[in-house]
Amino acid sequence: MDLNYIKGTNPSWEAIILPAAPIKKEEIQLLDELKKDSTVEKFDQLDGQMAELIKIKHPKDNLKDGELAVMVKDFFKHQPREEYGCWVYYHWRRQLIRTLDEADFIQVRTSRNQYKITKEEQDLLSTKKIGVIGLSVGQSVALSLAMERSFGELRIADFDTLELSNMNRIRTGIYNLGLKKAWMVSREIAEIDPFLKVTIFEEGINDRNIDEFFEKDGALDLLVEECDSLDVKILAREKAREKGVPVVMDTSDRGMVDVERFDLEPKRPLLHGLAGNLKSEELNSLSNEEKVPFIGKMIGMETLSTRMKASFMEVGTSIGTWPQLASSVIHGGAVCADIVRKIFLDQFRDSGRYYFDFDEVLYHGQDQQSKTSEVHAPKSEKKQFIPQGELKSPKVLSKSTVLELVKKANLAPSGGNCQPWKWVFDKEGVLHLFYDKGLSESLLDYHGTGTLMALGAALENLVWTGHNMGLGVKINFNELEFEDDYIAKVTFSENIADGEDTQYDYLYPYIEKRVTNRKLEQGKEIASSILEELRNIAIDSGNGMEMLTDRGQFGELIEVLGVMDKIRVMNPRGYADFVREIRWTEKETIETRDGIDIETLELKNTGVAALTLLRDHEAISFLKKNQLGDGLKEMSKDTINASSAICLLTAKDFSPYSYLRGGKALQRVWTHINKEDVAFQPISASLFFFHRLQREGLKYFSTEEGEIIKDAQRRLRTLFNLSPDTNEVFLFRLTTASDVSIRSLRRDVLDTIAFL
């Protein structure tokens, strides 16, 4: 080994990797010299790299710095520090740097790619050979590919040297002026990752070396073509088509990226036929002026940006060549690197031209920006059948009185704030209640059970309000089966005693105080007397109530709800319902006046960001495809841990009336506890999945989902010690949080009632 060459008396583009415990005589000699050489800077951050390695191997342990330091020391007890890893010598910097060994270095370096790139995908990418011709835009592509480690070998070709004017778009320093671009890029990649293989063609590409470029030490898998020469553009594509190699090119104008899948279409015309039947050998006889029409067709003069068109007209007058900007070049490098990766992973199979135009999207095309595809549940237009004259109310109320009654009734809770009620007031003074399926139908609302609870709660509000007005209120339930939409008839009288019980009229002043409170403040213990009051209200209403107050039991519940949260998001129908019920913007909230306003979720910025990510159905599909998404199990963790008590409302049967009664009980319990300044939050989604699976089977669930749901129900029933004849109706948490920041809106009362 020539030590003078290695130490930099003869410039090169390769870093020298030396094992920390070298075996070869020349390596031992070189490493010893470098360590003793006072002109060589030494950097040894091995302990920090090892701490990172340990940390990523134990992602669930949340290791602190002190713990990591101990684990690093323990590692080097078994593997002597002086014998582990590598020293990398960058002779052009005269720097000697300590690293992990190759496998560990790669694991740490790519750890933050997961799971945007899975391990299996990363392994596949490490086998690929990519050629890059032209190192202006090509430099940005090459560095992006290197940072993501999207190749096993990179072959780069450019004959040019770095000039000062290049540095408006090439990320480098003035110390590289006059250096060959191929050397410059190779060195930059080595400084990112010395273990990546880079082969350079510093004379550029020509008809004498193009076969070597495509074939030496294994065939290229893909070509990124970014050179200025029309001759080389055509020559490279002819060879790529001959060898079945896909070609990707960025033009750094309007974000245009060009893809030619010669691997899938071996007879595809070069440049989509835009250059006609032009052949590389014909170009030799053409002058630059004669080449212009071909260049114009290839780049699509009519599709250029306004400023690029103007610039082309100035070439040779006020500027020497066409302009390129760093923002466009870097953007193009990123887009090309993304497309290259997706081609290798068989996630992109098309040929064509694609525009990622900043000017269009950000400044002129706001109305063209992508919109969410979610469509809110349609409002029902069904005309309801009402038997005329079947029932008369002893007292016919004024329209204003009816509106006040219904307005208060509509303040009842409903799943996803869907407000599924439709009221009709007839000429006989009877108020009819209907279930508007178009507003509430979802995977969670099995057989309308959630809706029936909302309607029962609304009727309870109606009773309290009527009594406050001095009216008797009588609820006449129809003979109901699940899914029936005509629920009840309500009549009124002048005697409060003629009708529903007045026992819970004391809750009327607190109708507007009742609210879902999702704040995650650590709850204090709630007095046992208050909890007992809730249990008694449930029992008096014909239901039961079980409670968890022992924090030792919360962990089991977190696991149960966690797997169900994951099921809900991963299940296609459950996910669609989940996304649809959220109101993502203030504008959307005000326009619909229903659904769950994202502001009511009381999320911190990170939480809002996480929820927004869930809106991307492709991200969810990726998690499901790769059997990931366990992070979704954490969604309920903080909610449960911040609770003071977890309560389960139960019933002895499964019928429409049990859920209507459950709704009345729920409204009483909820309003009573809010009266006591205790916060209340429903956490019931799982229960509706339990009942749908139990009674409907695998209609909406996979076999795997079915087994998970069945096990979760068993665990929850065991946790609450439920008897076999007890039905789970509604699950909620109680805590002592401060008041909510914002409340959900309600639709205008006139949108919910009709007068005959």
Side-chain angles (χ1 to χ4, degrees), residues 308-360:
M308 184 59 88
K309 290 176 182 176
S311 298
F312 262 109
M313 289 186 283
E314 287 297 303
V315 172
T317 304
S318 60
I319 56 177
T321 186
W322 57 81
Q324 291 176 303
L325 293 176
S327 55
S328 298
V329 169
I330 293 169
H331 174 249
V335 173
C336 281
D338 189 79
I339 290 175
V340 168
R341 184 180 68 252
K342 286 183 168 61
I343 287 174
F344 285 154
L345 301 180
D346 201 27
Q347 296 168 354
F348 184 84
R349 298 178 61 85
D350 296 330
S351 296
R353 288 194 160 176
Y354 306 90
Y355 291 85
F356 305 83
D357 189 349
F358 286 160
D359 287 341
E360 177 64 21

Side-chain angles (χ1 to χ4, degrees), residues 690-705:
F690 294 163
H691 295 309
R692 186 176 286 279
L693 177 71
Q694 188 175 355
R695 294 171 172 83
E696 198 174 49
L698 297 175
K699 181 177 180 180
Y700 291 101
F701 304 112
S702 68
T703 302
E704 181 182 4
E705 287 175 334

Side-chain angles (χ1 to χ4, degrees), residues 399-524:
K399 183 175 181 179
S400 61
T401 299
V402 173
L403 288 175
E404 181 62 23
L405 283 165
V406 172
K407 184 177 181 179
K408 283 294 200 300
N410 289 354
L411 293 177
S414 57
N417 190 32
C418 65
Q419 305 167 55
W421 33 73
K422 183 68 176 180
W423 306 89
V424 178
F425 190 67
D426 70 19
K427 295 178 181 179
E428 305 295 336
V430 178
L431 183 63
H432 305 263
L433 175 60
F434 292 88
Y435 156 24
D436 193 334
K437 294 180 181 178
L439 295 173
S440 66
E441 194 169 9
S442 75
L443 191 63
L444 292 182
D445 195 23
Y446 172 62
H447 268 348
T449 48
T451 293
L452 289 169
M453 293 191 73
L455 300 179
L459 288 170
E460 187 68 7
N461 275 356
L462 189 79
V463 170
W464 300 343
T465 305
H467 289 173
N468 184 67
M469 294 176 170
L471 299 171
V473 182
K474 177 65 176 177
I475 298 173
N476 305 275
F477 286 113
N478 295 331
E479 293 186 8
L480 294 175
E481 299 289 341
F482 282 117
E483 306 288 351
D484 287 349
D485 57 0
Y486 187 12
I487 306 301
K489 313 173 190 70
V490 185
T491 58
F492 305 92
S493 66
E494 295 184 349
N495 185 354
I496 293 178
D498 293 339
E500 305 303 315
D501 192 82
T502 61
Q503 180 179 352
Y504 294 98
D505 286 358
Y506 72 93
L507 294 174
Y508 167 77
Y510 303 99
I511 287 177
E512 295 187 28
K513 183 174 182 177
R514 186 213 60 77
V515 69
T516 295
N517 189 326
R518 300 180 178 90
K519 285 195 170 181
L520 297 180
E521 301 166 4
Q522 186 58 55
K524 300 176 183 177

Side-chain angles (χ1 to χ4, degrees), residues 676-695:
E676 300 295 331
D677 293 321
V678 175
F680 182 112
Q681 178 187 351
I683 48 175
S684 280
S686 303
L687 308 189
F688 297 100
F689 275 27
F690 294 163
H691 295 309
R692 186 176 286 279
L693 177 71
Q694 188 175 355
R695 294 171 172 83

Side-chain angles (χ1 to χ4, degrees), residues 87 99 340 382 682:
W87 286 96
T99 72
V340 168
K382 179 180 177 181

Side-chain angles (χ1 to χ4, degrees), residues 159-202:
F159 67 90
D160 208 356
T161 58
L162 181 71
E163 298 175 334
L164 185 58
S165 62
N166 298 148
M167 293 180 63
N168 78 316
R169 63 193 185 279
I170 295 179
R171 187 212 64 79
T172 191
I174 58 175
Y175 49 81
N176 279 328
L177 287 173
L179 191 70
K180 287 183 177 291
K181 290 180 181 177
W183 288 22
M184 175 193 72
V185 173
S186 180
R187 288 178 175 184
E188 289 174 330
I189 292 173
E191 290 169 2
I192 294 169
D193 189 332
F195 301 105
L196 282 169
K197 180 179 180 181
V198 179
T199 303
I200 73 169
F201 286 71
E202 60 185 287

